[in-house]
Amino acid sequence: MARGGGARRTVAVLAVVVLTLLAGCETQFPAVRLRVAAGNKAGVYNTISQFMAGVWQARLGTQRPEVLATGGSPDNVNKLLSGEVDIAFSAADVASKPTSGPRSPRALARIHDDYLHVVVRDDGPIQQLSDLRGMRVATGAKDSGVEFIAKRILALTGLDSPGMLTQQSLDLASSVEALRMNRIDAFFWSGGLPTQAISGLGDAMAIRLLDLADDIPALRRQYPVYDSASIPASTYHLAGRPVNTLAVPNFLLVTDQMSDDLAEGLIREFFAALPELAQQTPAALSIDLQSAIETDPIKLHPGAEKFYRGEKI
């Protein structure tokens, strides 16, 4: 009897130890309050950020991270390097621009790719980029990642010269409404698949995405950070074949001033929550542990490196 009681006590003690250790994991960073630069409220960055804020709070024991709506990648990177936020999402083309100052960006992971959309009315005359000449074109919100890539493309195709077209700085929601109301002829967007605002527009009216097959070689020669890609016709119930376009990788960023333990915890829980995240946004289906370390030219944070080594990547 004494022996059995001792065994039960041992099991009880072990259970308490295990529960204590688990509780310790969940409250590893109770004093930490994180701020996340999440981009446009209608974009994939924001969907991921809102979901992960709850995950990080629950599994790391942080205070609930504050998710900030921003202008996009340039705004996100500026806020990260100035210390206004602790975590930021950025497209690779913006993140790889030279920086100066006391903080340097460090990547936790390469995540989903953004796809360039050039959206027009299906019953309109615009069939290719050169047809934007003389048209009213929304190039994204001012200082946004969309504007960044749109201006590069317009410059490379000679459409940025004075008088070539009428540019308007509109965010995604405003661009969608302006095209629907026939106040613009086309708009640029760079985002994950599908972008819900564009799906909604396609439900309300017939739209088309410009095929960039003829322009991609020159664009990639000038800017090798971009990849060739295609948007399946089924993504937005488009008629015809897949649309050839550009894709740009996205990075989940912190700075070199974040502790290794916190950085490791953030990326560990990110991948642990990936199946649930994929239920929130289909863009998460393309996030892959094997390719997550491909963040060149941004260095991986040492905490992220430790996580990937543990995963045998």
Side-chain angles (χ1 to χ4, degrees):
M1 291 291 294
R3 237 181 246 137
R8 285 192 294 273
R9 283 195 297 275
T10 300
V11 170
V13 169
L14 287 173
V16 169
V17 169
V18 169
L19 289 173
T20 301
L21 288 173
L22 289 174
C25 290
E26 292 177 353
T27 58
Q28 190 174 359
F29 306 100
V32 170
R33 178 159 187 166
L34 299 167
R35 298 153 299 174
V36 186
N40 190 293
K41 285 185 177 181
V44 173
Y45 290 163
N46 199 278
T47 301
I48 294 174
S49 298
Q50 295 289 353
F51 179 79
M52 287 308 305
V55 169
W56 286 326
Q57 179 187 28
R59 299 186 185 179
L60 296 179
T62 67
Q63 298 179 50
R64 183 175 176 86
E66 182 182 5
V67 177
L68 304 177
T70 66
S73 292
D75 193 17
N76 292 356
V77 171
N78 288 339
K79 282 181 166 55
L80 181 70
L81 298 182
S82 69
E84 293 179 58
V85 301
D86 311 285
I87 304 168
F89 292 83
S90 177
D93 52 356
V94 175
S96 60
K97 287 186 66 179
T99 60
S100 60
R103 299 174 180 84
S104 297
R106 292 292 181 267
L108 296 183
R110 171 179 175 164
I111 50 174
H112 71 280
D113 288 352
D114 274 346
Y115 292 76
L116 178 65
H117 301 58
V118 187
V119 185
V120 300
R121 303 176 70 93
D122 189 48
D123 60 0
I126 303 172
Q127 301 291 330
Q128 54 192 355
L129 282 178
S130 60
D131 294 334
L132 294 177
R133 185 190 304 263
M135 298 295 180
R136 303 161 298 173
V137 181
T139 54
K142 185 174 175 56
D143 299 325
S144 68
V146 178
E147 183 184 66
F148 187 87
I149 188 172
K151 285 190 170 181
R152 278 186 166 182
I153 290 170
L154 293 177
L156 205 61
T157 55
L159 291 168
D160 64 334
S161 302
M164 291 294 288
L165 50 80
T166 302
Q167 292 188 44
Q168 298 185 33
S169 296
L170 300 176
D171 63 17
L172 177 59
S174 299
S175 295
V176 165
E177 179 64 9
L179 188 70
R180 190 177 70 83
M181 298 301 294
N182 203 29
R183 294 195 296 264
I184 60 173
D185 304 296
F187 70 83
F188 282 81
W189 169 250
S190 181
L193 297 180
T195 294
Q196 292 305 316
I198 297 178
S199 295
L201 178 63
D203 291 338
M205 59 180 284
I207 61 172
R208 184 160 25 86
L209 304 184
L210 297 191
D211 191 293
L212 307 182
D214 293 339
D215 305 283
I216 286 173
L219 289 166
R220 293 199 65 227
R221 280 195 299 271
Q222 182 74 18
Y223 302 112
V225 69
Y226 301 120
D227 295 323
S228 299
S230 65
I231 299 177
S234 60
T235 305
Y236 299 110
H237 307 293
L238 305 171
R241 298 173 299 176
V243 175
N244 295 293
T245 189
L246 295 176
V248 55
N250 283 279
F251 298 152
L252 179 59
L253 300 174
V254 294
T255 74
D256 54 352
Q257 296 189 7
M258 179 174 281
S259 73
D260 291 359
D261 287 346
L262 180 55
E264 181 185 9
L266 290 171
I267 195 58
R268 180 183 69 240
E269 300 305 338
F270 181 87
F271 277 102
L274 199 56
E276 293 81 12
L277 180 58
Q279 296 175 16
Q280 305 298 313
T281 172
L285 295 170
S286 64
I287 300 175
D288 176 66
L289 189 61
Q290 298 293 326
S291 61
I293 61 173
E294 297 172 4
T295 62
D296 186 68
I298 306 298
K299 295 180 180 178
L300 279 171
H301 191 287
E305 289 184 0
K306 182 178 179 182
F307 165 73
Y308 293 120
R309 283 199 301 272
E311 296 294 317
K312 306 293 193 294
I313 303 301

